[in-house]
Amino acid sequence: CIRDRIENNSGAALRARESSRESELEELRTRLSAAQRELVSARRAMAEMRERLDPELIEQVLEIAEEVGDRDPASALEILHSLHRVYGYLLEDKGAGVSLGEEKAYAQDLMALEPLRTRNRIEVSLSFDPALKEQLVPHRVLQPLIDNALIHGLGRELRTGSIQIHALVRESNGRITVEDNGRGFLGDLHQDALRGEGGLSRVLRALQELFGEEVVLSVEHPEQRGTRVCLEFPRRRLKDRRDALA
């Protein structure tokens, strides 16, 4: 009997140690998984930061400001102010989203710099419904759409062109369109852009994080020339989002 009790106690102690080791291993696996997720997140943040900070843009704009400053100091100062506002906006932490009014101001500064850096003559038209000024949108939602129009639409080799950016209320939704008069996507490249890791797919994911599946992103080719990218999303104010997160 004593031997049985000793064996039972030893077996119980062994099982307890094994259970404790298994719990420790499970905790280590959980910590490792969390660390891996943090590493992936940090790498994405670094990649996004590298994308935001464009040394070539800064160098080009500073050279132009210096060149313009000799004959028009006021214009050179406004160029530097635009550059400062663009990078100030890019570096802000806007995880909860921004207002469409903020995005409009950013787009105006960004498009003021673009013709300077490329020496192209690009006409830009911005039209935003005042009712959407406080509309909640993702931070930098317009930049990939503008880049898409410049690169895939007009093409860097074109010296002239136009880009129209409109935001309006459509029934109960907000609607943003960015349209250019360039060459447009070749073949089914726009479908590839929506499925891949490019700017359009990032815009779609960012909108879905805020609004779920009620978001529609479409790419159209009006009159066989140019490209029109359309976004539709539910009406929601930035203030309501911040109140919900408070």
Side-chain angles (χ1 to χ4, degrees), residues 8-68:
N8 289 337
N9 290 338
S10 298
L14 179 60
R15 288 192 295 273
R17 286 196 297 271
E18 290 177 349
S19 177
S20 177
R21 282 197 294 268
E22 185 61 34
S23 297
E24 290 174 357
L25 287 173
E26 183 62 30
E27 183 178 355
L28 287 174
R29 284 192 288 266
T30 300
R31 289 181 179 179
L32 177 60
S33 178
Q36 289 173 335
R37 289 195 298 270
E38 290 180 5
L39 180 59
V40 170
S41 178
R43 286 174 174 169
R44 286 177 179 170
M46 289 296 294
E48 184 177 354
M49 186 62 69
R50 284 194 294 269
E51 180 183 321
R52 292 183 190 183
L53 297 175
D54 185 347
E56 182 180 351
L57 171 61
I58 296 175
E59 183 178 351
Q60 289 175 335
V61 172
L62 290 178
E63 288 179 357
I64 292 167
E66 183 177 2
E67 176 186 324
V68 172

Side-chain angles (χ1 to χ4, degrees), residues 201-217:
S201 62
R202 291 200 302 272
V203 166
L204 181 58
R205 287 197 300 271
L207 284 165
Q208 288 175 336
E209 287 178 5
L210 287 179
F211 305 114
E213 297 302 318
E214 298 180 77
V215 175
V216 177
L217 190 158

